Amino acid sequence: MVKRISAKDFEEIYHKYKNTLYRIAFTYVRNQPDAEDILQEVFTARLYKAPAFQSEEHEKRWLIRVTVNYSKNYLKSFWHKNIGYMEDARTEIPWEEDSSKRELLEEVLSLPDKCKAPMYLHYYEGYTCKETGKILGCTESAVKMRLKKGRELLKNSLSDGGALYGTGRL
């Protein structure tokens, strides 16, 4: 059963999670207009299809899972597969001001999809491997393997020989 919420509560939820959800959608679709469309779909689902939540963290995880699902569905859609200009329309990461951090995030976003989402959720959003696994619908060990593979790929792709890799932080 869907629990109705007031406009004020919905607005608070929107402002609380919009940046995180936008960044997650952007990691998948890599362009601003599509990420904004996905964000709109996610909040529409929150308004009309969301279950009763046990806690604030449960709600956040549900929103992230829906964002991931909508992003993946978009990438599989006829529209995305058959419109060639979208590849050229990719934009820079709009929320990162520091150019060195932007460069590293660009490298993370260029990873294969199986590595990209766990890397982003774990290192940028601060989720544990177990939490990341629940959000992405895979096991904790799968998340650990994807993080390991992602770190290896980053180490190989970074021009400075992997100096950031050895620090344990992205």
Side-chain angles (χ1 to χ4, degrees):
M1 172 122 195
V2 177
K3 180 185 172 195
R4 295 285 181 194
I5 60 173
S6 69
K8 182 181 177 190
D9 290 341
F10 181 79
E11 189 174 334
E12 286 177 18
I13 292 166
Y14 176 79
H15 289 293
K16 187 178 211 176
Y17 299 118
K18 70 178 180 177
N19 293 331
T20 299
L21 299 178
Y22 171 80
R23 290 190 297 259
I24 290 168
F26 190 92
T27 62
Y28 281 91
V29 298
R30 296 295 307 274
N31 71 62
Q32 194 169 353
D34 292 336
E36 289 170 354
D37 288 346
I38 289 168
L39 190 66
Q40 182 177 359
E41 293 288 330
V42 168
F43 281 107
T44 301
R46 171 58 186 97
L47 188 59
Y48 295 111
K49 299 177 184 176
F53 297 107
Q54 300 164 354
S55 66
E56 204 172 289
E57 185 61 27
H58 180 224
E59 180 178 35
K60 182 178 181 181
R61 288 182 184 173
W62 184 88
L63 288 167
I64 290 172
R65 183 70 231 167
V66 170
T67 303
V68 169
N69 287 343
Y70 279 22
S71 299
K72 286 180 177 180
N73 288 344
Y74 171 77
L75 293 174
K76 292 187 273 185
S77 71
F78 176 83
W79 175 259
H80 177 73
K81 287 181 178 179
N82 292 296
I83 303 297
Y85 74 88
M86 295 309 259
E87 222 29 63
D88 298 331
R90 291 186 177 199
T91 59
E92 284 190 4
I93 299 167
W95 67 87
E96 189 57 66
E97 299 291 324
D98 184 351
S99 63
S100 64
K101 288 181 181 178
R102 179 180 295 145
E103 189 176 311
L104 179 59
L105 188 53
E106 283 286 343
E107 289 292 330
V108 170
L109 297 180
S110 69
L111 293 172
D113 287 341
K114 286 202 177 230
C115 296
K116 178 179 8 182
M119 293 286 285
Y120 183 79
L121 289 172
H122 184 71
Y123 289 109
Y124 288 92
E125 294 297 328
Y127 283 100
T128 65
C129 291
K130 188 175 186 177
E131 292 169 333
T132 301
K134 285 182 181 179
I135 290 169
L136 297 176
C138 60
T139 64
E140 181 179 358
S141 62
V143 170
K144 288 178 180 179
M145 290 303 296
R146 291 172 186 179
L147 289 172
K148 180 181 180 208
K149 178 70 173 171
R151 286 190 302 266
E152 289 171 0
L153 292 170
L154 279 176
K155 180 180 179 181
N156 293 333
S157 70
L158 292 173
S159 61
D160 63 351
L164 293 172
Y165 179 77
T167 64
R169 293 196 35 77
L170 289 180

